[in-house]
Structures are given as structure tokens and as C-alpha cells.
Amino acid sequence: MSIEQQAIQCAPSADESLRSEGYERDFSLYQGNSVFRNQPSYNIFNKSIECVNDSLYAHLNAVDLEILQNEQAHSKMFGSYTHGLALKDPRTKEPIRQTVRDYTSADENDQHLLVFPNIHDGERHSTLSRDQQAACLRVLLAGQNCQPLPEEDFIIWRATESKRCTEHQVVQKYIFDYSQDQKEMLYRPMKPLVKAYQKWFQLKIHQVLSNRASDEFWVTSTGLPQLSQCKNDQTRVKLEGVHLNKINGDLKYWSEGIKLERDDLRSLNIRLERYATPTQGPHNHLMDMEDYCDYFDEGNLFVLPLESLLMLLTPSAAYVDLPTEMFIDIKEIDEQKLIEFDIPLPPHHCGWHTNNFIIDRAYEAYMSQPGQSQWIQMGDVMSKESVKKSNACCGGNYKIHEIDTDYSSKEPTKTNQALISWCLSDSSSSSSLKILTQMSVSGSSDPKGQHLLACHHLKLENKPHCGLEIMTKNELLKIWLQLQLLQKDQGHCSRISLVNFEPLLEEELTLSSVEQQLHEYYNTSMDNLLANLFEFLKLLIGLPQDEYLLRYSSKYKDKFLLCRKTQEKIPQSFSLNELLQKELSLPSEHSFLTQSNSYLPISTKLCGPLHLFNQMLPCAFPPKKNGKCARINKNAEKPRTARIARFEMATEKRRAAISLQRRQHKSQQKARSRARKREATKKEVEEQKQLDKILNL
């Protein structure tokens, strides 16, 4: 008899249990299905592990003796489990040792950035040997790091000057062809920056349209020449009278100098969408109308922010991602003109400058979070200890958020605005223009905010595996203006990779080096450019007081279109909504990628991780591994594709057939010619014989 049957016999029925407890069963109630009557209690099946009589329970709860062995011993069961169920690499058919990978690490994932792309046009090598390139590299590093120059290396540098110049031209052409073929792959990492700029663009356009009337129409009244057309050989203009009036906002304190940390950039790369999201409101002016009256002592006054000044100095036709619209408000106070420029409207296309703008804003927002950096509130004198204390205690507060609320909010970005007054003086006519400029300051090297840092420029490198690029004209002009207006001789530029925001180089910039780059790369003289600006600003003094819109159109590349308000709509008028939202889609990088001049050459003087890792010169081919130099053969055959090879083979066969046919025709022609000559000779002989017979008679 089984255990279940024994349990059924031993267990009392349900009726008996009820009677034992004093209850009388009501048989009129529904008794349920007969299958469920007289079932044993649940205790029959709830046996403990000590009960060895239940064979089913013991079988279901059987424990392998191998598991009960010593923990230090190797278990075959666990080993078989690991090899049988673990994920396997389909390439090697072996278990994956590391299933989680840190993609923010730059040790293993950035090795491709340290390899020169030497497979685009066949593997090519430098004309210089490995030792010569290493010596020339030490010369560049000595100048870059302001270190003493070894004399032996300088001798090699002078001896290889002609070879280096020739190779620079070849490599620049090589990299240009490579970047044009791989443009989509090179600029693929800029898509997150484009998305962030689209959000910022929408917010900015919404702010501009909300401050304007919906029935506001504009009409083009006249055209103003761009600065390149405002030339006057007799004008001699100098930038004088620079004075820093005041600074409002929070100033960053760089205790150990400007240097970007790799961990901060890695975190920013992961959280780019969070910190690039715009949180600031519209631009706040440092001065009201009453404050402008203090600066009317010397005549007309121009209020020209740094961004507006750059729009005037840099031609919009040079780069597709520069602003093209700007408001100008001309007022007359005490028979003097107040010409106030507003900050330009955002560009309609993405490119180098919009990428740098977004990464700059995102970095400022990230460093504004509690505990990331030290800040000085201008107007309050703070000691170094108070700065550290305020920054150490500003964070760490735990906040409880509701489930339905957004807990991803962040601290607002800490910024500052400086007001600087300066003059453009013409020595030939003894006239000057008073200008007020608003600009942000990069920070201070002392806790009291007295030693200001001129500029800190973030530049994204688009081709880090080819070298470090030169700066655009707009970037060089911005750095030059910041150095001049803050009266500093040295600035700073942090070059980071577009691929993963890896720091590449901390570059020190001087005023003379910036002017030299403007002259070498863009043939620009700052004296002539300031003279052109002086002539352009004088044209605005003659305009009547009103609000204008200065815009650039690709139809008129040498002019600015000056637009005025109109009371009613006319056929030539347009609304601001139509102008700012003239494109149905958001700003994108398509125009930038399709532009023919969207290429920045590689600098021949800056050394990055690529050059230090491979011990090679900037803008040069890698040297051979055996150390011997290779000659550049300009007439060498380029590697051919299979299609070109088949075409050339068919052409050679066709040429061979044609040449064979020609030889056959020529040989047949010669044979016919020889046959005609033989017949002619034979005929002459017969005629001569007959003539001899006649003479003999």
C-alpha cells in the first residue's frame, strides 16, 4: 500500500472532524465535486527533508554530492556550466571573459586614432629616415613646449628643409583626397552635436519671435558694402584707449592654470545631451539707456558685442555655418548717435563653428555643477580659502523627487559678461570712434579675480589620425580680439578629438603667433581690417534713427542688405517668421558636407599624440621600419582597381590587334611593291634585248 493510501485511511473525514468540533453539517448546502471530497490534509505533502520515507520528495530534492565538497576544490559541475551556457565569441568559439566593456576608456579604443591612414593611395613612406624625423620632431616639441633646442637636432632640421617642404605639399594633397573620399565617415561623430544645436536653435528662434510683433514686416531699403569693399588707402587706424569697465557674473578660478581633465571630457561625452540642452534665458545687457549717457563725451557711440564684431569682420560667404542676420538699433541722444548692435541670430546650418559653440556651452554647463570647479562671484572679494569652502559646501544636498516629476534638472550655467570700452582712431584725419564691447572672460588665475585670463578656446579636431588642423579665420579673429581687448599677450587653446572628446594638445597662443597665422593662412592684415571696419562704421552714422535688420544673402556676396520695418505688407516685404524659418527642416550638416571648401589643412608646426606615438613629423608620411629613407617618385604607377585593370587589358589587346593588322597590311603592301618592281625590271630587260637585235641588224 502506498503512502498516499495509508494517509487517506488514517486521516479522518471532513464530516467526522466537523462533528468532533461540535458542528452539525448542513447537507442542504452544495458539497462540491466528489473528486475533491475526503482529500488528505496539506501536511501530508509538507514533509521536511529529514523524512526519508517519501521517495518522490527525496528525488525532487536530491543534492549532488559534488556540491557538498570543500569550497576550495574545483567543481566539475560549475566548470561544465560555464563552458556550456556562457556566451561564446562566434569568431573564436571561446567563452567571452569580459561581457561588459567601458567604451569611455581611451586606452584600447583610441588606438586607431594613432595610426596614419596610409592605405588610401597605397602604402607610402617618408623621404626622411626615422632618425631624421625624430630629430626634427624634437625641434618642434622644443619650440612648442618652450624648451631649449638641441644643436645637433637643429643642424638636421636645416639640412632637411628642402625635403620637408616638398613632402609637406605631397602629404597635404594626400590628406585632402582622403578627407574628400571619407568625408561622411570623418564627420559622422558630429551628429550628437547637430542634435544639440537643433534644440538650441529652436529655443533661440522662439525667444526672438516671442519678443517681436506677429504683424511685423521688413523690406530691403539699401545695400551696404562688406568690409572687404570698404578700402581707403589713406586711412591709418589703430586700436587705442582699451579700458575694462566692469564684470558681472561668476568667474572661473583656475588655481593651477588652464588644463582640461580627461575624466571630465569622458563624462561630458557620455552626458552631452544633458549638458548641451539650453537652460539660459535671453541675453541680458550690462547697461541701460541711462548708463550710455556717460560715454557720449567724445561723440557718437557704438555698442558692439564680440559676436556682432566677428560677423562684420568675417565674410559670411567663407563659411556656411556663420550667422547671417543681425538687428541694429540707431537712436539719437543730444544730437549724437547711439548705434547698438544686437547679438546675431543663430546660423541656419551646422559646421565647425556650431560644433565648437555647442561643446563650449556643454563644458561650461558641466563645470558649473557643484563640486566640479571653483568660482568667483565678481563684486565680492573672496580669499582662496573662502573660494574652496564655498565650492566644497555647495553640493551634496539630497532632494526627494516625486515619481511624475522630472529629476534630470541641473544647476544653471555660470557665466559672466565684461564691458570694455575702446576706440578706433584714424591718425590721418584725427577722428575716432567710441566703441563698447560685451564679451565673456575665461577665468582668473588668482582668487580675487584680478589677474584675468584672456581666452580659453575649445577646438574640435575632425581628423585626429591625420594631424592637428589649422584654425578658421573666425576663430583666429576671435582670439585676437580677446587678447587685444583684455590687453593680454597670451591665450590658451585646448584641442580635443571630435570622435570621443579625447584631449590632444594644450596650446599656448600669443598675439604675434595669431597675427602670423592670419597672414600666412588667410592673407589678412589686422591693420587693414580695422581700417575697413572704421570706414564701415562711419557709413552707419549717416543713417536715420530707426531699427534695422542687417542680413547677408548669397545672391549679393559683396554686400550687406539693410532692411527697415514697414507698416503694411507689400509685395517686396517679408516677415521675420518667414526669414528665420525659411527652411522647413531644422539646421543640419548637409550643406556643410556638400560644400567644396569644407576642409582645413593640417598644421605643420603642431605635434599631437599621433606624432609622439609614431615618432613622425606633422604633415609627413611615416618613415620606413628599417630606418632607411624612401624617395618620392612622382611618376610612379598608382594602384589600380580591378575594373581599371580589365579596361586597360582590353585596350592593350585592341591595340595589339590593330598593330598586327597594320603590320600585315604593310607587309602585303611591300610584297606587291616588290612584285611590281620585278615585273618592271623584267620588262626593261626584254625591251633591251629587242633593241639590241634591231641594232645588230
Side-chain angles (χ1 to χ4, degrees):
M1 185 180 297
S2 63
I3 299 176
E4 289 81 358
Q5 295 177 355
Q6 295 178 4
I8 292 174
Q9 293 180 359
C10 297
S13 63
D15 298 339
E16 295 178 357
S17 60
L18 290 173
R19 293 192 187 97
S20 62
E21 294 179 2
Y23 295 97
E24 292 294 335
R25 184 165 182 171
D26 188 3
F27 291 94
S28 63
L29 296 177
Y30 175 70
Q31 300 297 320
N33 197 313
S34 60
V35 178
F36 300 101
R37 297 175 186 173
N38 299 324
Q39 293 295 327
S41 174
Y42 70 93
N43 293 326
I44 298 299
F45 300 99
N46 193 17
K47 296 182 180 180
S48 62
I49 195 170
E50 289 83 4
C51 183
V52 296
N53 296 326
D54 191 351
S55 58
L56 178 62
Y57 187 84
H59 176 72
L60 293 177
N61 294 274
V63 180
D64 195 340
L65 297 178
E66 188 177 357
I67 300 178
L68 301 180
Q69 293 178 359
N70 189 6
E71 296 180 356
Q72 298 180 357
H74 297 284
S75 174
K76 296 182 180 180
M77 176 176 289
F78 289 160
S80 62
Y81 170 80
T82 303
H83 292 284
L85 301 179
L87 296 177
K88 292 183 179 180
D89 191 346
R91 299 168 295 181
T92 59
K93 305 300 181 182
E94 295 181 357
I96 300 176
R97 298 181 179 179
Q98 185 178 3
T99 57
V100 179
R101 188 173 185 180
D102 184 10
Y103 284 93
T104 63
S105 176
D107 298 335
E108 300 179 0
N109 299 282
D110 298 338
Q111 294 297 328
H112 67 282
L113 301 179
L114 303 177
V115 179
F116 186 80
N118 202 9
I119 58 175
H120 171 63
D121 196 16
E123 189 174 1
R124 307 180 69 174
H125 298 284
S126 175
T127 56
L128 303 178
S129 64
R130 183 173 294 274
D131 295 337
Q132 290 176 340
Q133 285 215 21
C136 296
L137 181 63
R138 289 192 292 269
V139 173
L140 290 178
L141 290 176
Q144 184 174 299
N145 301 328
C146 300
Q147 296 177 354
L149 180 63
E151 185 177 357
E152 298 81 2
D153 297 340
F154 184 72
I155 295 174
I156 299 176
W157 172 271
R158 293 295 300 272
T160 58
E161 184 174 2
S162 60
K163 290 185 178 180
R164 286 185 289 103
C165 294
T166 304
E167 190 168 350
H168 287 169
Q169 299 176 1
V170 178
V171 175
Q172 290 284 14
K173 179 64 170 58
Y174 175 85
I175 297 177
F176 174 78
D177 296 338
Y178 168 77
S179 62
Q180 295 299 318
D181 295 342
Q182 306 291 332
K183 182 177 290 187
E184 185 178 356
M185 182 270 294
L186 291 176
Y187 291 100
R188 188 180 303 162
M190 69 179 288
K191 290 185 178 180
L193 298 172
V194 172
K195 293 181 180 179
Y197 179 75
Q198 290 174 351
K199 295 181 180 179
W200 183 86
F201 180 85
Q202 288 180 323
L203 178 64
K204 185 65 177 179
I205 295 301
H206 177 71
Q207 291 177 355
V208 173
L209 295 178
S210 61
N211 297 331
R212 298 281 175 177
S214 59
D215 56 347
E216 188 175 271
F217 294 96
W218 299 78
V219 61
T220 303
S221 60
T222 183
L224 295 177
Q226 290 195 6
L227 265 67
S228 59
Q229 307 298 322
C230 300
K231 294 182 180 180
N232 189 353
D233 298 334
Q234 299 179 357
T235 306
R236 299 290 183 269
V237 177
K238 292 184 180 180
L239 196 152
E240 298 177 347
V242 180
H243 179 68
L244 177 61
N245 297 322
K246 61 179 178 179
I247 301 178
N248 290 344
D250 297 320
L251 197 64
K252 188 175 181 181
Y253 171 51
W254 298 88
S255 58
E256 300 178 357
I258 299 178
K259 184 179 180 182
L260 300 186
E261 298 295 336
R262 177 175 295 178
D263 295 338
D264 295 338
L265 294 177
R266 290 180 183 177
S267 302
L268 183 61
N269 184 24
I270 299 174
R271 303 171 178 87
L272 178 64
E273 183 179 1
R274 168 182 171 85
Y275 292 107
T277 303
T279 55
Q280 293 180 345
H283 178 71
N284 296 324
H285 296 279
L286 291 177
M287 302 180 64
D288 298 330
M289 185 57 61
E290 299 177 356
D291 300 331
Y292 289 131
C293 299
D294 301 335
Y295 295 93
F296 279 108
D297 300 336
E298 301 178 3
N300 301 316
L301 179 64
F302 293 86
V303 180
L304 199 58
L306 181 62
E307 294 81 3
S308 305
L309 189 58
L310 288 173
M311 179 178 169
L312 297 178
L313 295 176
T314 308
S316 301
Y319 306 100
V320 72
D321 57 335
L322 289 180
T324 56
E325 297 94 9
M326 176 173 55
F327 290 104
I328 302 177
D329 191 8
I330 300 179
K331 300 176 182 178
E332 188 172 353
I333 303 176
D334 298 335
E335 298 181 356
Q336 295 177 353
K337 292 291 184 64
L338 171 63
I339 304 176
E340 185 177 3
F341 290 77
D342 198 1
I343 293 181
L345 300 179
H348 298 278
H349 304 283
C350 300
W352 296 318
H353 303 93
T354 57
N355 292 344
N356 292 337
F357 172 77
I358 289 298
I359 189 62
D360 197 2
R361 288 177 57 89
Y363 181 75
E364 289 180 356
Y366 176 76
M367 299 306 294
S368 300
Q369 303 309 305
Q372 292 296 332
S373 59
Q374 303 176 7
W375 296 87
I376 305 172
Q377 187 176 3
M378 298 308 296
D380 298 336
V381 180
M382 301 179 64
S383 62
K384 190 173 182 179
E385 291 75 10
S386 61
V387 172
K388 291 184 178 180
K389 183 177 179 181
S390 62
N391 286 276
C393 301
C394 61
N397 296 329
Y398 181 77
K399 297 180 180 180
I400 300 177
H401 300 273
E402 298 294 336
I403 295 178
D404 297 334
T405 59
D406 182 17
Y407 58 88
S408 61
S409 60
K410 59 181 184 297
E411 295 293 330
T413 304
K414 297 181 179 180
T415 58
N416 61 81
Q417 287 288 327
L419 184 65
I420 302 174
S421 60
W422 52 289
C423 296
L424 282 178
S425 302
D426 183 12
S427 58
S428 60
S429 60
S430 300
S431 60
S432 62
L433 298 178
K434 187 74 173 181
I435 302 175
L436 291 177
T437 299
Q438 301 176 14
M439 57 179 291
S440 61
V441 183
S442 301
S444 175
S445 58
D446 68 312
K448 295 184 179 181
Q450 297 179 355
H451 300 284
L452 301 178
L453 299 175
C455 67
H456 180 208
H457 180 66
L458 294 180
K459 177 172 176 57
L460 289 172
E461 293 293 336
N462 307 289
K463 303 182 289 290
H465 56 294
C466 297
L468 302 179
E469 300 170 334
I470 66 172
M471 292 187 181
T472 64
K473 184 177 180 180
N474 186 272
E475 293 173 339
L476 292 174
L477 289 176
K478 182 178 180 180
I479 295 173
W480 188 87
L481 290 172
Q482 289 176 332
L483 294 176
Q484 283 283 5
L485 297 181
L486 290 176
Q487 296 181 322
K488 302 294 180 180
D489 296 332
Q490 193 171 12
H492 194 85
C493 176
S494 298
R495 295 176 178 263
I496 59 180
S497 173
L498 176 65
V499 180
N500 53 6
F501 297 168
E502 184 72 13
L504 300 177
L505 178 65
E506 299 291 342
E507 180 185 5
E508 297 294 336
L509 298 172
T510 60
L511 190 62
S512 59
S513 65
V514 173
E515 292 178 351
Q516 183 180 2
Q517 293 180 51
L518 283 170
H519 178 69
E520 290 181 359
Y521 300 146
Y522 303 102
N523 193 21
T524 301
S525 173
M526 292 308 302
D527 295 336
N528 297 336
L529 199 59
L530 292 178
N532 297 345
L533 177 64
F534 184 83
E535 296 294 333
F536 179 81
L537 294 180
K538 287 198 303 183
L539 296 176
L540 299 179
I541 299 177
L543 297 176
Q545 59 176 352
D546 198 353
E547 187 177 11
Y548 298 90
L549 176 64
L550 191 70
R551 55 187 291 257
Y552 167 80
S553 177
S554 58
K555 297 181 181 179
Y556 310 96
K557 296 185 178 181
D558 297 334
K559 292 183 179 181
F560 284 116
L561 301 181
L562 194 64
C563 307
R564 299 183 63 177
K565 288 184 181 180
T566 179
Q567 298 297 332
E568 56 184 12
K569 187 176 182 180
I570 59 177
Q572 294 81 12
S573 64
F574 59 90
S575 65
L576 196 61
N577 192 4
E578 296 175 357
L579 178 64
L580 298 181
Q581 298 180 354
K582 56 185 176 182
E583 298 180 1
L584 297 178
S585 59
L586 292 173
S588 64
E589 72 278 15
H590 301 309
S591 300
F592 168 74
L593 295 179
T594 55
Q595 196 178 28
S596 59
N597 59 349
S598 59
Y599 169 77
L600 288 177
I602 300 298
S603 175
T604 60
K605 300 178 181 179
L606 297 178
C607 304
L610 170 69
H611 312 103
L612 297 178
F613 182 79
N614 298 309
Q615 287 295 300
M616 57 180 291
L617 277 172
C619 201
F621 288 114
K624 278 192 173 182
K625 295 182 179 180
N626 55 8
K628 296 182 180 179
C629 59
R631 298 180 180 179
I632 294 181
N633 186 7
K634 297 182 180 180
N635 299 325
E637 296 184 359
K638 297 182 179 180
R640 300 171 296 177
T641 60
R643 183 179 179 183
I644 297 177
R646 290 194 300 269
F647 176 76
E648 292 181 355
M649 186 179 298
T651 305
E652 290 178 1
K653 288 182 179 180
R654 194 180 304 109
R655 290 177 180 175
I658 293 174
S659 62
L660 178 61
Q661 189 177 4
R662 288 179 179 176
R663 287 196 301 270
Q664 290 177 356
H665 287 307
K666 199 170 185 179
S667 60
Q668 293 176 1
Q669 185 179 3
K670 290 181 179 180
R672 289 192 298 267
S673 178
R674 287 193 297 268
R676 287 194 299 269
K677 289 181 179 179
R678 285 195 299 267
E679 291 178 357
T681 304
K682 186 177 181 180
K683 187 175 181 181
E684 289 180 359
V685 171
E686 291 179 354
E687 290 178 354
Q688 187 68 26
K689 287 182 179 180
Q690 292 182 2
L691 182 62
D692 292 342
K693 289 180 180 180
I694 294 172
L695 292 176
N696 291 335
L697 293 175

